[in-house]
């Protein structure tokens, strides 16, 4: 029974990562935008939703006790708006400027989470975030199961939405811009506008994931949103197969499993004093894995259907 | 406003500028934003520390501080070793990772992503080997000497500023006046044409890594000498490095240095107003302002 | 004496879709050869492959009796191959002098200054302001600098990719006059040209490339009335419609 409860917990966490990974797939897989600040977008969603839904607390502003759904919605809006701002600033420029700027966004937001105590609770973070189906909390099994079902349902909804968009004229235009910007432009598509829309959509989905995760765990702190998270999500999408939504979900479950198992292994093998140190080996392994996949199987486990991404193969050249 | 901020800003700005030189060179010649560059600073500091430890074991006298500095002859010797090892690290990484992706014709952004993955791995490897506990080049304490106008500086700090200026001037002369520098500028404009002109682009790439990683190592040692050595020191410097390189104009060595000094000075003054806990956000604000107002930077040659 | 030999050369950007599909020909020393063909026939790709800028998938290239297939472009320069690309063929952010200095770097130290002087003497347009940025030069002057840079290394074979592209008729005349002077000094010339009329006046022999293969090899005079050329180009189109 305990094992099943743990499995449910594990899968729920994996599902929250799958949402982030789907959001990244819109930005990277479909559009080719490199976001190095995923943790910032996820954290923003978590904090916005938490500030709106937690009960009133004396030590900080916020705590409106609003329904969870309102929190999630606000997270989506906040993530979308932030992505829109970043996109407006950088999408006209070289692709790596977006990378550098998103990296900076994550650093800056991390500082906000850490330092604006009156809003975020500072280093201690925010607790008492209302959990869905809190009435069931007494029955661990049922509680875990309904939460897993809810999170999986969010993944399913995001997946269906994205698949629908992918097949829509908008999705086709997006891929056209990614494959051949000049040709797409000649057909009357506005590449900057399309990229901006995709980046905002991806940012909104990431923030939603942050809110879902925060409400599942019930507690957030700045330490949850370190660059490590960005890095894990990248590994998830690249392993699973960028451009493929099912690959994004599969990669999330797989990399999260590798992460959890290697963590368990480390706590078995290494003495308590050495565990923090050994944990850094986990990151080394994921970092090497990311590089190895980029070198030898850039398309990931489930490659993109339809067309091969321009980013992964040879550049097309004129004769 | 405390005038001491000028000294503090110049000192940290020197480190940032020296580090940003490698970043701006790899950006303009290899054409990608290298996220591992910050980790070259950290590895440079730890490798130098290791060499210094070995040297100290061989000859104890090398560790004794040389007046008026806080360190002995061992450190300059160790830096030589550290530079060689950091360069080897950068060349090795280029051979097994970046070079292969380039040869395959991978898109720039894939190489940026690989550098991001490698950066995580390198940093965590440092943490595994040396633990997260800060390390120091010297235990000696230095008294800051008054310079007038309410400013004080330690001899180490003045040495850092002076050494940086000498290095930057030398590098600038090499790039503007030597055959190697001409070849570097040529490759940065058009690598394909460089081959047609008879330039060995592979050699220019290696020279770029040698200069970039060498400067990164020295910058890392300076940061370690003035503050402390931590596995995350390079990561924490990454945003200031990028901001300095972009502010100065990608590809410009004087630009990177000037950008570094500006970032260092603005940080030092801004911290007095907004508090030290916001230090890391200051270079982000500068970066955003540059991208909004002058994306090609101070010495930028073309719109990015 | 042969200067350049292509033997069943296959080249392109993608191994599965070669653009040059088995081309063989021999160029004798001192010859001036032009390569003609419809758009997309693979002319440019072929000389880029010979110059080491496009991967070769099969066949061989020999320069002056030595095998040079697949060598990187910078090594080919040392072996006596001069190549002038069609566009972006000079470093615009370097000075005129620096452009020449880069090429001179391959020469023995004592010869460098002399060769640069010789090139500046040959192209008076360049010698008036050698320290100016090459980006400030006009289209015709850029072609001159590009040619001067390639000639500086005294190549066995000089290959040019559409030297007349984008130039006014008057400038085309100037550029081709210069090329004739170069050819007269005994340098082997190989040029890809769309401007058939200009090329016919300069070269003794014409190769016609259609769909990545050699469709004609003969004296340039045969193509003077344009009839044969039209048939070669059109024959290709007819074959395409049949397939």
């Amino acid at each position: 029974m305990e094992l099943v409860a743990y499995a449910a917990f594990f899968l729920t966490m994996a599902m929250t990562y799958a949402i982030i990974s789907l959001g990244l797939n819109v930005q990277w897989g479909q559009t080719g935008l490199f976001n190095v600040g995923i943790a910032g977008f996820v954290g923003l969603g978590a904090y916005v939703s938490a500030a709106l839904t937690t009960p009133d607390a004396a030590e900080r502003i916020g705590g409106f006790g609003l329904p969870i759904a309102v929190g999630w919605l606000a997270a989506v809006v906040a993530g979308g708006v932030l992505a829109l701002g970043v996109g407006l600033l950088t999408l006209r420029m070289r692709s790596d400027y977006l990378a550098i700027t998103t990296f900076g966004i994550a650093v800056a937001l991390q500082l906000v989470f850490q330092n604006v105590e009156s809003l975020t609770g500072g280093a201690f973070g925010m607790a008492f975030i209302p959990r869905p189906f809190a009435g069931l909390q007494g029955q661990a099994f049922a509680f875990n199961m309904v939460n897993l079902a809810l999170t999986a349902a969010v993944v399913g909804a995001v997946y269906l939405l994205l698949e629908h968009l992918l097949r829509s004229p908008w999705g086709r235009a997006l891929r056209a811009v990614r494959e051949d910007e000049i040709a797409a432009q000649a057909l009357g598509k506005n590449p900057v506008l399309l990229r901006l829309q995709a980046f905002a959509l991806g940012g909104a989905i990431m923030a939603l994931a942050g809110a879902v995760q925060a409400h599942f765990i019930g507690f957030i702190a700045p330490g949850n949103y370190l660059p490590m998270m960005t890095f894990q999500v990248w590994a998830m999408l690249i392993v699973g197969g960028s451009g493929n939504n099912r690959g994004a979900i599969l990669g999330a479950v797989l990399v999260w499993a590798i992460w959890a198992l290697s963590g368990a292994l480390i706590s078995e093998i290494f003495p308590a004093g050495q565990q923090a140190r050994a944990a850094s080996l986990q990151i080394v392994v994921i970092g090497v894995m990311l590089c190895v996949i980029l070198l030898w199987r850039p398309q990931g486990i489930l490659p993109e259907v339809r067309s091969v991404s321009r980013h992964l193969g040879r550049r097309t050249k004129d004769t | 406003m405390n005038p001491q901020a000028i000294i503090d800003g110049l000192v940290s700005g020197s480190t940032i500028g020296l580090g940003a030189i490698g970043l701006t060179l790899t950006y303009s010649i290899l054409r990608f934003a290298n996220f591992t560059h910050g980790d070259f600073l950290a590895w440079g500091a730890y490798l130098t520390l290791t060499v210094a430890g070995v040297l100290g074991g061989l000859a104890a006298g090398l560790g004794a501080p040389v007046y008026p500095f806080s360190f002995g002859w061992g450190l300059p010797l160790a830096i030589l070793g550290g530079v060689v090892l950091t360069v080897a690290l950068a060349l090795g990484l280029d051979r097994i990772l970046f070079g292969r992706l380039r040869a395959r014709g991978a898109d720039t952004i894939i190489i940026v992503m690989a550098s991001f993955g490698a950066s995580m791995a390198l940093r965590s490897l440092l943490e595994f080997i040396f633990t997260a506990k800060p390390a120091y080049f010297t235990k000696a304490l230095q008294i800051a000497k008054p310079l007038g106008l309410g400013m004080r500086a330690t001899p180490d700090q003045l040495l850092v500023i002076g050494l940086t200026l000498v290095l930057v001037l030398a590098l600038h002369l090499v790039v503007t006046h030597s055959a190697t520098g001409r070849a570097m500028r040529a490759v940065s404009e058009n690598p394909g044409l460089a081959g047609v002109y008879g330039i060995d682009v592979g050699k220019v790439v290696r020279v770029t890594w040698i200069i970039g990683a060498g400067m990164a190592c020295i910058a890392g040692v300076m940061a370690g000498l003035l503050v402390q050595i931590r596995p995350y020191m390079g990561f924490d410097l990454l945003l200031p490095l990028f901001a300095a390189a972009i502010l100065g104009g990608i590809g410009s060595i004087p630009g990177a240095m000037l950008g570094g000094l500006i970032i260092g000075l603005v940080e030092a003054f801004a911290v007095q107003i907004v508090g030290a806990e916001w230090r890391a956000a200051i270079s982000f604000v500068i970066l955003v302002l540059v991208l909004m107002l002058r994306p090609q930077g101070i010495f930028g040659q073309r719109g990015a | 004496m042969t200067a350049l030999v292509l033997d069943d050369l296959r080249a392109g950007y993608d191994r599965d879709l070669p653009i040059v599909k088995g081309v063989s020909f021999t160029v004798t020393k001192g010859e001036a050869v032009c390569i003609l063909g419809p758009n997309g026939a693979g002319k440019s790709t072929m000389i880029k492959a010979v110059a080491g800028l496009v991967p070769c998938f099969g066949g061989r290239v020999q320069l002056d009796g030595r095998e040079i297939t697949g060598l990187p472009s910078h090594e080919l320069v040392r072996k006596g191959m001069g190549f002038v690309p069609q566009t972006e063929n000079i470093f615009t952010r370097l000075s005129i002098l620096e452009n020449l200095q880069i090429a001179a770097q391959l020469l023995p130290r004592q010869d460098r200054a002399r060769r640069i002087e010789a090139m500046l003497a040959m192209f008076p347009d360049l010698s008036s302001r050698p320290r100016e940025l090459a980006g400030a030069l006009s289209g015709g002057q850029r072609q001159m600098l590009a040619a001067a840079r390639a000639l500086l290394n005294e190549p066995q074979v000089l290959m040019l990719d559409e030297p007349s592209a984008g130039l006014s008729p008057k400038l085309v005349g100037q550029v081709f006059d210069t090329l004739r002077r170069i050819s007269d000094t005994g340098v082997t010339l190989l040029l890809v040209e769309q401007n058939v009329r200009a090329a016919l006046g300069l070269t003794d022999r014409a190769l016609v490339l259609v769909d990545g293969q050699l469709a004609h090899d003969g004296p340039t005079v045969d193509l003077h009335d344009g009839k044969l050329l039209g048939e070669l180009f059109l024959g290709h189109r007819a074959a395409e419609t049949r397939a």
Side-chain angles (χ1 to χ4, degrees):
Chain A
M1 211 53 175
E2 210 167 281
L3 199 67
V4 177
Y6 179 75
F9 172 81
F10 164 82
L11 273 176
T12 311
M13 280 307 282
M15 285 300 114
T16 61
Y17 274 99
I19 306 172
I20 314 178
S21 181
L22 283 169
L24 182 61
N25 196 27
V26 181
Q27 297 181 338
W28 169 251
Q30 308 298 340
T31 325
L33 301 172
F34 189 42
N35 181 348
V36 200
I38 299 168
F41 288 89
V42 177
L44 179 72
Y47 273 95
V48 165
S49 187
L52 292 177
T53 56
T54 43
D56 194 21
E59 69 278 9
R60 58 179 167 78
I61 310 164
F64 298 106
L66 293 171
I68 293 174
V70 175
W72 285 12
L73 199 67
V76 168
V77 172
V81 168
L82 178 68
L84 210 59
V86 174
L88 280 174
L89 186 64
T90 55
L91 283 181
R92 282 163 207 281
M93 291 180 249
R94 264 190 68 155
S95 54
D96 8 21
Y97 278 51
L98 176 71
I100 298 168
T101 310
T102 49
F103 174 75
I105 281 277
V107 171
L109 279 175
Q110 172 74 26
L111 289 181
V112 172
F113 302 154
Q114 186 89 39
N115 294 333
V116 188
E117 282 173 26
S118 56
L119 265 178
T120 64
F124 298 108
M126 293 164 88
F128 306 111
I129 301 171
R131 308 177 73 179
F133 311 106
L136 288 172
Q137 225 155 342
Q139 303 147 268
F141 180 72
F143 179 74
N144 280 329
M145 280 306 172
V146 289
N147 266 294
L148 175 58
L150 176 66
T151 320
V154 176
V155 173
V158 173
Y159 172 80
L160 289 176
L161 170 76
L162 293 183
E163 286 289 310
H164 175 73
L165 281 176
L166 205 67
R167 292 190 173 82
S168 72
W170 183 78
R172 281 198 298 275
L174 206 58
R175 274 194 307 283
V177 164
R178 187 192 64 184
E179 302 299 332
D180 190 342
E181 177 164 348
I182 294 169
Q185 231 164 347
L187 292 171
K189 315 287 180 199
N190 180 344
V192 175
L193 187 65
L194 280 164
R195 287 206 187 96
L196 200 58
Q197 290 165 344
F199 196 68
L201 176 62
I205 294 173
M206 289 174 186
L208 171 68
V212 171
Q213 204 177 54
H215 286 276
F216 172 62
I217 303 171
F219 165 80
I220 53 175
N224 300 357
Y225 309 104
L226 295 176
M228 247 298 296
M229 173 185 258
T230 299
F231 178 62
Q232 283 172 326
V233 178
W234 269 107
M236 289 168 180
L237 183 62
I238 300 295
V239 167
S242 51
N244 185 322
N245 285 323
R246 260 172 271 181
I249 299 171
L250 174 74
V253 176
L254 214 63
V255 171
W256 187 244
I258 294 174
W259 187 258
L261 283 176
S262 60
L265 200 67
I266 281 170
S267 59
E268 279 297 315
I269 297 174
F270 290 90
Q274 295 292 320
Q275 278 183 14
R277 187 176 178 182
S280 55
L281 272 188
Q282 274 182 292
I283 307 179
V284 176
V285 170
I286 301 249
V288 171
M289 188 168 81
L290 186 65
C291 293
V292 165
I293 288 183
L294 287 178
L295 279 173
W296 281 295
R297 196 180 160 82
Q299 70 274 37
I301 299 173
L302 296 179
E304 181 174 3
V305 224
R306 295 179 193 226
S307 55
V308 177
S309 168
R310 169 175 76 85
H311 305 277
L312 306 176
R314 281 180 195 290
R315 274 178 249 172
T316 47
K317 292 186 179 128
D318 56 343
T319 48
Chain B
M1 195 130 301
N2 187 347
Q4 181 59 28
I6 295 176
I7 295 295
D8 296 346
L10 288 178
V11 169
S12 70
S14 298
T15 317
I16 297 170
L18 210 51
I21 286 173
L23 201 60
T24 206
L25 287 181
T26 40
Y27 204 146
S28 73
I29 291 172
L30 288 104
R31 293 160 180 255
F32 77 102
N34 180 15
F35 278 77
T36 57
H37 195 76
D39 302 291
F40 290 160
L41 269 78
W43 273 85
Y46 275 104
L47 288 170
T48 304
L49 184 70
T50 309
V51 175
V54 173
L55 286 176
L58 293 176
L62 286 173
V66 179
Y67 183 82
F69 303 113
S70 70
F71 51 87
W73 283 111
L75 189 62
L77 282 176
I79 288 178
L80 285 182
V83 164
V84 170
L85 292 172
T86 313
V87 165
L89 174 74
L91 289 175
L93 201 60
D94 189 60
R95 169 158 286 196
I96 61 172
L97 187 62
F98 304 136
R100 286 187 190 200
L101 289 170
R102 271 201 310 278
R104 207 178 66 194
D107 228 43
T108 304
I109 207 72
I110 290 284
I111 305 181
V112 176
M113 190 190 291
S115 81
F116 178 66
S119 128
M120 273 283 176
L122 280 176
R123 183 181 329 137
S124 301
L125 198 58
L126 271 185
E127 196 174 343
F128 177 71
I129 300 172
F130 296 96
T131 76
K133 223 173 62 185
Y136 299 88
F137 281 112
T138 169
K139 299 231 158 42
L141 277 178
Q142 267 198 315
I143 310 293
K145 295 189 170 51
L147 299 174
L149 299 171
M151 296 184 285
R152 290 171 160 272
T154 64
D156 284 5
Q157 289 177 326
L158 294 177
L159 179 72
V160 162
I161 296 176
L163 181 63
T164 303
L165 290 180
V166 170
L167 283 171
V168 171
L169 196 66
L171 266 183
H172 179 63
L173 288 178
V174 165
V175 169
T176 48
H177 285 85
S178 74
T180 309
R182 263 200 308 270
M184 287 170 76
R185 282 180 288 142
V187 173
S188 116
E189 182 177 332
N190 185 344
L193 183 61
V196 171
Y197 266 60
I199 295 172
D200 183 349
V201 176
K203 192 176 140 199
V204 171
V205 165
R206 286 193 291 280
V207 170
T208 306
W209 283 119
I210 290 171
I211 296 177
M215 293 300 129
C217 174
I218 298 175
V221 172
M222 287 177 173
L225 187 66
L226 299 172
V227 193
Q228 55 184 201
I229 313 171
R230 290 173 304 115
Y232 270 69
M233 62 189 281
F235 178 79
D236 293 342
L237 274 170
L238 195 54
L239 199 53
L241 294 182
F242 273 127
I246 292 176
L247 171 60
I250 292 299
S252 165
I253 288 178
M257 192 61 232
L258 188 64
L261 290 176
I262 293 174
I263 304 257
L265 286 168
V266 173
E267 268 189 359
F269 279 105
V271 155
Q272 295 187 0
I273 301 165
V274 297
E277 69 272 24
W278 291 101
R279 174 179 282 269
I282 292 161
S283 27
F284 176 66
V285 173
I286 297 176
L287 176 70
V288 169
L289 288 177
V290 174
L291 291 183
M292 280 183 351
L293 302 175
R294 196 180 159 82
Q296 74 274 35
I298 300 172
F299 295 118
Q301 280 138 327
R302 64 198 150 152
Chain C
M1 276 300 285
T2 61
L4 185 71
V5 178
L6 267 72
D7 181 13
D8 195 27
L9 184 73
R10 289 158 195 279
Y13 297 94
D14 187 337
R15 190 171 281 277
D16 301 325
L17 290 169
I19 296 166
V20 180
K21 302 164 183 169
V23 170
S24 307
F25 62 84
T26 301
V27 179
T28 311
K29 262 187 191 159
E31 231 182 337
V33 180
C34 73
I35 299 163
L36 305 168
N39 269 326
K43 311 180 292 286
S44 207
T45 307
M46 186 184 78
I47 63 167
K48 280 186 195 160
V50 174
L53 294 171
V54 166
C56 299
F57 304 134
R60 292 183 315 153
V61 184
Q62 284 182 337
L63 176 68
D64 207 14
R66 285 177 302 183
E67 174 91 24
I68 58 158
T69 326
L71 286 182
S73 52
H74 70 270
E75 281 181 34
L76 290 174
V77 181
R78 288 173 193 274
K79 294 195 186 294
M81 174 74 71
F83 176 57
V84 178
Q86 181 186 343
T87 52
E88 296 181 15
N89 50 21
I90 56 166
F91 292 111
T92 55
R93 285 190 252 141
L94 270 57
S95 74
I96 295 165
L97 186 62
E98 281 176 323
N99 269 278
L100 296 174
Q101 282 171 329
I102 289 181
Q105 204 62 31
L106 301 180
L107 303 170
R109 189 174 292 273
Q110 67 272 18
D111 296 345
R112 290 175 193 165
R114 184 179 56 77
R115 286 297 297 162
I116 291 175
E117 286 299 316
M119 286 304 116
L120 290 177
M122 189 168 175
F123 300 94
D125 274 14
L126 306 176
S127 59
S128 55
R129 39 183 190 171
R131 293 191 191 276
E132 195 162 306
L133 282 187
L137 294 174
S138 69
Q141 291 168 329
R142 285 178 188 221
Q143 292 294 6
M144 300 287 179
L145 177 57
R149 180 276 306 166
L151 281 176
L152 191 139
N153 295 101
E154 303 187 299
Q156 307 274 347
V157 175
L158 177 61
M159 303 192 300
L160 301 105
D161 193 357
E162 296 204 32
S164 72
L167 297 184
S168 70
K170 186 170 159 246
L171 282 174
V172 172
Q174 275 182 26
V175 168
F176 274 81
D177 283 343
T178 312
L179 291 177
R180 189 166 302 111
R181 260 159 58 210
I182 293 168
S183 173
D184 289 344
T185 61
V187 175
T188 312
L189 272 188
L190 191 66
L191 66 148
V192 164
E193 227 353 296
Q194 297 270 17
N195 188 335
V196 178
R197 192 170 302 275
L200 295 185
L202 171 69
T203 56
D204 354 286
R205 179 178 163 204
L207 305 173
V208 180
L209 210 62
V210 176
D211 193 24
Q213 284 169 324
L214 209 56
H216 176 80
D217 180 352
T220 309
V221 285
D222 291 1
L223 300 174
H224 252 292
D225 59 0
K227 194 163 160 258
L228 178 58
L229 205 58
E231 273 169 25
L232 287 164
F233 283 28
L234 286 172
H236 157 65
R237 289 204 189 117
E240 235 177 23
T241 20
R242 271 202 304 279

